Amino acid sequence: MTPTDSILRGYLSDNAAGASPQILDAVVAASAGPAAPYGNDALTAQMRAKMAAAFECELDVFAVGTGSAANGIGLAALTRPWGSILAHRDSHIQNDEAGAPEFFTDGSKIVLLGGEHSKIDPDELRAAVKVGVGDVHSVQASVLSITQVTETGSVYTIDELRVLTSIAREAGLRIHMDGARFANAIVALDVSPAEMTWKLGVDMLSFGATKNGALTADAIVCFDPTLATELSFRHKRGGQLTSKMRFQAAQLDAYLTDDLWFDNARQANAMAARLRAGIADVAGVTVTSEPGSNIIFAIFSDELTDALHERGFGFYANRWEAGVVRIVVSFAHQATDIDEFVAAIRELA
Amino acid sequence: MTPTDSILRGYLSDNAAGASPQILDAVVAASAGPAAPYGNDALTAQMRAKMAAAFECELDVFAVGTGSAANGIGLAALTRPWGSILAHRDSHIQNDEAGAPEFFTDGSKIVLLGGEHSKIDPDELRAAVKVGVGDVHSVQASVLSITQVTETGSVYTIDELRVLTSIAREAGLRIHMDGARFANAIVALDVSPAEMTWKLGVDMLSFGATKNGALTADAIVCFDPTLATELSFRHKRGGQLTSKMRFQAAQLDAYLTDDLWFDNARQANAMAARLRAGIADVAGVTVTSEPGSNIIFAIFSDELTDALHERGFGFYANRWEAGVVRIVVSFAHQATDIDEFVAAIRELA
Amino acid sequence: MTPTDSILRGYLSDNAAGASPQILDAVVAASAGPAAPYGNDALTAQMRAKMAAAFECELDVFAVGTGSAANGIGLAALTRPWGSILAHRDSHIQNDEAGAPEFFTDGSKIVLLGGEHSKIDPDELRAAVKVGVGDVHSVQASVLSITQVTETGSVYTIDELRVLTSIAREAGLRIHMDGARFANAIVALDVSPAEMTWKLGVDMLSFGATKNGALTADAIVCFDPTLATELSFRHKRGGQLTSKMRFQAAQLDAYLTDDLWFDNARQANAMAARLRAGIADVAGVTVTSEPGSNIIFAIFSDELTDALHERGFGFYANRWEAGVVRIVVSFAHQATDIDEFVAAIRELA
Amino acid sequence: MTPTDSILRGYLSDNAAGASPQILDAVVAASAGPAAPYGNDALTAQMRAKMAAAFECELDVFAVGTGSAANGIGLAALTRPWGSILAHRDSHIQNDEAGAPEFFTDGSKIVLLGGEHSKIDPDELRAAVKVGVGDVHSVQASVLSITQVTETGSVYTIDELRVLTSIAREAGLRIHMDGARFANAIVALDVSPAEMTWKLGVDMLSFGATKNGALTADAIVCFDPTLATELSFRHKRGGQLTSKMRFQAAQLDAYLTDDLWFDNARQANAMAARLRAGIADVAGVTVTSEPGSNIIFAIFSDELTDALHERGFGFYANRWEAGVVRIVVSFAHQATDIDEFVAAIRELA
């Protein structure tokens, strides 16, 4: 491993972790014997059934290799090119996908909303859904995209979600959820997947698995059966229909089996909470993000950041405001890792 | 396994096979410890170096999940939207990608050329490069896309390739190679990767690995360094920049190690040759495709096809002309598999 | 006027003519006083009513500046990006728009059909509508695009149209008519606009006026009211919603008034017939196109072509096959013009 | 004329006016005789020469039918799809084109900047050009788009422009100017076209003529000759290459002749100034926009707005903030019109 990898110690992002052993085992097992290509295999069918069971409804699942593809393809099925996607100004679809949503949607516009802790302010949403309705000179508000867990680690409560989805529904918008850290939110809220999605009116979910234990498998989960055909073509045409789909199905299937997804997410969230608790009283360190998930934003002095980096603790600093650092804890972190990190912060602060 | 899978016996396509053990081992090994995301990890660097060594030149590599993505993104970097892509009318980019090249290129046109055995006729190419040059009403011939191995299993000789690439080069076109079965062609011709690509003027290669032993990893290999930045953005924006890139790097790295790619391809080609030899003299069976690779096209009676399907031998029939069947042999097939299939054909014909 | 213009004598294309006086007068008159912009003016409303009366049905009209825009926007409303547009290989949308249909449709594919005299062969259409139906790897046949008058001057009979539209309808395709020379076809067949369009199942018409007397005004005429909203956004977003729409409305309104469109088309067709008759018996001259419209294809010797060009008669030569010339007669040509041209041909042949 | 038109009295927008008589005369004159199509005619050549003379440099001109097309096509030539366009949050390209820039650019993102009176704040620009540079996850700041006259009627001084263009140039951005009311700005500043464009580093100008006297003719004026070929294809492919281009050339040619464009703009600006002066001291009326151009924003009571509307004075109200009205004066307004309007306001306020 190069220094690039070795300094990480895994707080740069939850995607710096490897994969869960159960998922690796499933991938290896899936390799035995021939299988029908392009998702027409038994394992893909089994995975679909497990996903439907997990969400307690009929649904369509399309495995993808990245969250960017899940978001891009899912959004494209929810809006026409002259539609707009209402999203928080901190959202991943706006800031971290190099314009992938605009590419997949043939040029839809992302309209930005504000709100504390990266949660959309309902009043801003109420105003935005009224802009230019029916005016041919204006893009038409078409989709509300909610990021749950948010980019800064906060978790919308079910009530907060309901307020937003109600406004969107009443205005005729579709609802998309960017769930790159979906399981982390589920366990944080202690609700069912159904309660956090279709029961609130969510049409389309970018179901993240990679950050929480898979290798390279996320999924588009669609609760509206009328979009299935369109999605299947967008998925193929978008370069996401793998020939050996069984290998992605294997990952998602194992992820959904025996509560692995919840266990992994609980571990990540718990370790983040342990870290928060460990540094709460450190002079010169201020945690700024809401608790709940596996992401912590804090203010560190440059000296502290540099010293920790030198010790090999990897995390992003100074990408947002000066002094702001982001620490992301993954399912792979253990209490000893956290305690070591806490001790270093306490020592060096 | 469902009947859908069990009837296959693997001749439907080479993507019906699982993965090579060496590649599975590499994936499992890659999971240990943290790694920098998005291709900034050591394993990806190592894979890039191996690819460069294999091609004996500087190059850029972008791992992708599908050949459709490799073709779409690679072509998009070679042509502006008003350019055209000259390709054989049997080509995969025309017939099997639901318009992915048009999507990724923002609407370039694929201009179709004919030629025996799915090989582009040089005279048709010579005529096509002259159509509408400089005429603002016409798309501008911009890329020659060559499929090697072709869709019907033939293999261009180096001389045949040189004729085509010379015509294209003289006319100012870029050259793309769809190498979904690249290794099968290399071993069929017994040439080096360099001799079959950049030494002939190929700018961009869709480097297939999935059909020949990987799980879900192909690659865009680009021999023109001026396209690297554009490709990196198209790759991200196209939803192909996986966060845990190490898992795709691991597949490609193992694929390139200890001649695994060549060994697998030799096995597939040899087993196909064994099958051809075994059925060459069967009355009522006519092999129509050229020898060399791992794909066989033949004419079977419907009775024979049905009888073989009933026995559980999976292959496509009647998708092209009536009576035409396609049999694809993979690296996973052994002599006993082939002999069993030959025996069944001889018995049932 | 430069030599470029002076040599024309107007046979290069019917768009080499100026505008009808009635249309110029209407434009000037429309300039008086203020008017609501973007088509919300009285003149646009009046034009829409005249168009509806001319077609004897409810319809939507969107004025555009070019036939390319009419075709691109109209087709985009008829097919999703993964749909294909079935069209004759001689069609304007394939050969003369630099990929505009692919641009406006976000990358739909034009699938080419053959047939004598640039008319689609019904058997080829029957085969094409069956290709890859429901197969996610294949584009889905979605639109039949018929050019009437065809690119080589032939005119489909109503029966011929009905055969094609019936095949398309039964297969679930939408029907587009590229009517750049719509009026020429109407008067050639002596049918009503309704009989040649919606009564046959045509959904969308590119209604040409520019070549037959307008300045820069064509129109998208849509017979399916469910597409109106989509068209209005595509029209705006495609840069075709002019602020002073009254000036395009004035052109189309005058065009539809007092049978101007039919009178102009009759004149053009009649003058073409006069030309055909005048050169029918000239040794060394072979007219190859079908009679009926205002376009004549013929075979001239290079000597004859050169001599005529030197005399200042402008027409295209050697753009198709060697020796093939195209002569297009416009509404502005008079019998004396034709007789002069005929005399020159007879003298120089 | 319908009530819709009659209530206007022309303050809704400057596009509610008809065309200048000189331009109408030129259009009529252009109709005589044949002319080469698609801009290969003498009049188009003459217009190009006049435009070059007006700007005192070599340049390329592409006539278009709308400002949306000028902006969309011009921007598409300045940025790759993963580039971003930095523009004021009040800009027309963001709010009034239904996503046309995103359509023409294949999904570029418009990044919004603030600033008083719809003028971009240099500090916001300085910050924006640094965001995500070289980061493959982020769109790349590629174009600065400046609206001159701004959407709220203010006019950047040359010094203000120079500050912005210098920041953009130093950061490697291209510079686009949306000059829908270009002449109004020129006469307001009393500078030459060259001084307000290429001498400041402007690469591409959306040259508005329609609002200031033409019928339906604006133009893309490009100061970078390396973009000419790309523009010609984007112009064709975007449905803007009219066959009878002479009619658009005639408009632009007359517009540039004998200072018509400046005279018209001076008239509009002067009449707006007369209106401002006339209502400056009216109790209950507050003019909020900067002087200089032909657009006035003010705060009217709803009673005043309603009363004026009833009298037939047309202007937009309550589209921005409550109470805010926009009055746009055109070249066609005369002092008597203004005095009548002023009198009504004074009477009814």
Side-chain angles (χ1 to χ4, degrees), chain D residues 59-112:
Chain D
L59 49 73
D60 291 288
V61 193
F62 298 86
V64 292
T66 63
S68 296
N71 286 335
I73 294 169
L75 288 167
L78 293 180
T79 180
R80 305 308 302 273
W82 50 92
S84 66
I85 300 158
L86 309 188
H88 196 280
R89 65 180 69 257
D90 293 344
S91 65
H92 199 267
I93 60 171
Q94 168 67 8
N95 299 312
D96 298 290
E97 297 185 343
E102 287 90 343
F103 171 58
F104 281 99
T105 60
D106 193 23
S108 295
K109 192 188 286 289
I110 302 177
V111 170
L112 300 178

Side-chain angles (χ1 to χ4, degrees), chain A residues 94 96-98 102 109 137, chain D residues 94 96-98 102 109 137:
Chain A
Q94 169 66 9
D96 297 291
E97 296 185 344
E102 288 88 344
K109 194 188 286 288
H137 301 267
Chain D
Q94 168 67 8
D96 298 290
E97 297 185 343
E102 287 90 343
K109 192 188 286 289
H137 301 267

Side-chain angles (χ1 to χ4, degrees), chain A residues 1-2 4-6 8-10 12-20 24 27-28 30-38 40-43 45 65-66 68-69 92 96-106 209-216 233-234 236-248 251 316 331, chain B residues 1-2 4-6 8-10 12-20 24 27-28 30-38 40-43 45 65-66 68-69 92 96-106 209-216 233-234 236-248 251 316 331:
Chain A
M1 288 290 160
T2 63
T4 312
D5 292 333
S6 68
L8 286 172
R9 304 248 184 120
L12 204 63
S13 175
D14 30 9
N15 56 33
S20 283
L24 288 168
V27 165
V28 172
S31 184
Y38 300 113
N40 298 313
D41 59 290
L43 191 51
T66 64
S68 297
H92 199 267
D96 297 291
E97 296 185 344
E102 288 88 344
F103 170 59
F104 281 98
T105 60
D106 193 24
T210 298
K211 287 183 164 72
N212 193 38
L215 293 82
T216 53
F233 281 100
R234 291 195 180 276
K236 168 66 188 176
R237 189 173 158 87
Q240 293 291 336
L241 182 57
T242 55
S243 56
K244 297 185 178 173
M245 183 58 83
R246 58 168 137 173
F247 288 115
Q248 287 180 280
Q251 296 176 60
Y316 284 118
F331 74 96
Chain B
M1 288 290 163
T2 62
T4 312
D5 293 333
S6 68
L8 286 172
R9 305 242 185 126
L12 204 63
S13 175
D14 29 9
N15 56 34
S20 282
L24 288 168
V27 165
V28 172
S31 185
Y38 300 114
N40 298 312
D41 59 290
L43 191 51
T66 64
S68 297
H92 198 268
D96 297 291
E97 297 185 344
E102 289 89 344
F103 170 59
F104 281 99
T105 60
D106 194 22
T210 299
K211 288 183 163 70
N212 193 38
L215 293 80
T216 53
F233 281 101
R234 290 195 181 277
K236 168 65 187 177
R237 191 172 156 86
Q240 294 291 335
L241 182 57
T242 54
S243 57
K244 296 184 178 173
M245 183 59 83
R246 57 168 137 173
F247 288 115
Q248 287 181 279
Q251 296 176 60
Y316 284 118
F331 74 95

Side-chain angles (χ1 to χ4, degrees), chain C residues 20 22-23 50-56 59 179-188 191-197 205-214 221 223 251-269 331:
Chain C
S20 282
Q22 299 94 320
I23 290 177
K50 275 195 195 167
M51 191 72 84
F55 281 89
E56 306 169 67
L59 49 74
R181 296 180 179 94
F182 184 79
N184 300 80
I186 289 287
V187 301
V191 296
S192 73
E195 286 169 321
M196 204 170 79
T197 56
L205 170 66
S206 291
F207 179 86
T210 298
K211 287 183 164 72
N212 193 38
V221 175
F223 303 107
Q251 296 176 61
L252 294 168
D253 186 77
Y255 185 69
L256 295 171
T257 300
D258 293 338
D259 284 348
L260 176 61
W261 55 325
F262 299 140
D263 292 346
N264 278 358
R266 270 192 210 100
Q267 175 69 10
N269 289 5
F331 74 95

